Amino acid sequence: METKIENFTSRMAALMGRLRREMNGAVVESMQRAGVRGMLNYGVSIPTLRAIAREQGSDHAFARFLFKQQVRELRLAAASIAEPSRVTPSEAEEWVAGAGSLEIVDEVAMCLLSRASVEVHRAMTDSWLRGEDSLRCYASLMTLNRTLIPAEELFPAIYDLLKRFPEDRNVARAALAYSTFHYGAYALEEFPDTPSGRFVREELHALFA
């Protein structure tokens, strides 16, 4: 009888074959020139990956298996194959810590964590955003801008983040993404006078002035 791991391995092999047919060498080269290295990369576009992932259906255990592989496309596809309702706060940390790139964190945040339980979202607001792990802070903002957590509740935490990580451009980018989505809930002058805070203010002013 075929074991679950054997089943996952054969399914992954079939999926890899599907991905290879969509390989884009020019994208792979451009990503390598930009410094994206460390895992196998076929250069498949995000929309194509999501369509391929939909063909797999929802399978949380298979998604976790794929996410452990050193393949960009498998990790990205896993975010769409996983089941949001099964993600716990501790598992959410594993998805973020094991992503391997901001691109994958973004996809995990949008396709999986933003659709997870309120318990997961509250862990982000009550713990992640107050910690010293800038990647978890980044993932929190990229997740929470697609949830029902009130913006008025999060902007004080964003202010604090821009003070605690004054030079972190990734945190600033996440703060900008959130603030752009919720523009009008907070005044521009309320962002701190730090390099990251000024970056957010200036970008918002350019967008909405």
Side-chain angles (χ1 to χ4, degrees), residues 138-195:
Y138 173 89
S140 296
L141 291 182
M142 299 304 283
T143 296
L144 294 170
N145 68 359
R146 300 178 176 88
T147 71
L148 297 178
I149 302 295
E152 292 80 2
E153 180 179 334
L154 289 177
F155 269 113
I158 292 174
Y159 179 93
D160 184 58
L161 278 179
L162 295 173
K163 287 182 65 177
R164 292 198 340 265
F165 300 101
E167 306 282 349
D168 194 311
R169 184 50 63 96
N170 290 329
V171 168
R173 186 168 71 85
L176 175 62
Y178 185 92
S179 302
T180 300
F181 195 77
H182 297 278
Y183 184 76
Y186 216 56
L188 285 178
E189 61 269 17
E190 296 297 332
F191 292 105
D193 190 26
T194 62

Side-chain angles (χ1 to χ4, degrees), residues 36-105:
V36 179
R37 298 183 178 89
M39 65 181 76
L40 187 60
N41 173 16
Y42 291 127
V44 181
S45 71
I46 296 292
T48 299
L49 278 169
R50 290 174 184 163
I52 292 172
R54 284 195 295 271
E55 296 171 2
Q56 299 294 315
S58 296
D59 187 329
H60 200 69
F62 183 47
R64 285 176 64 94
F65 176 80
L66 294 177
F67 201 70
K68 294 177 182 178
Q69 311 307 314
Q70 293 292 321
V71 182
R72 167 187 174 265
E73 282 74 11
L74 293 183
R75 292 188 181 186
L76 288 167
S80 293
I81 296 170
E83 300 169 50
S85 63
R86 295 185 57 182
V87 177
T88 63
S90 61
E91 187 184 312
E93 294 185 26
E94 295 174 14
W95 281 93
V96 172
S101 74
L102 285 182
E103 177 193 37
I104 298 172
V105 171

Side-chain angles (χ1 to χ4, degrees), residues 1-12 59-62 65 86:
M1 181 180 294
E2 187 178 45
T3 67
K4 180 176 287 188
I5 294 299
E6 289 171 340
N7 175 259
F8 285 171
T9 301
S10 61
R11 289 175 64 187
M12 181 179 72
D59 187 329
H60 200 69
F62 183 47
F65 176 80
R86 295 185 57 182

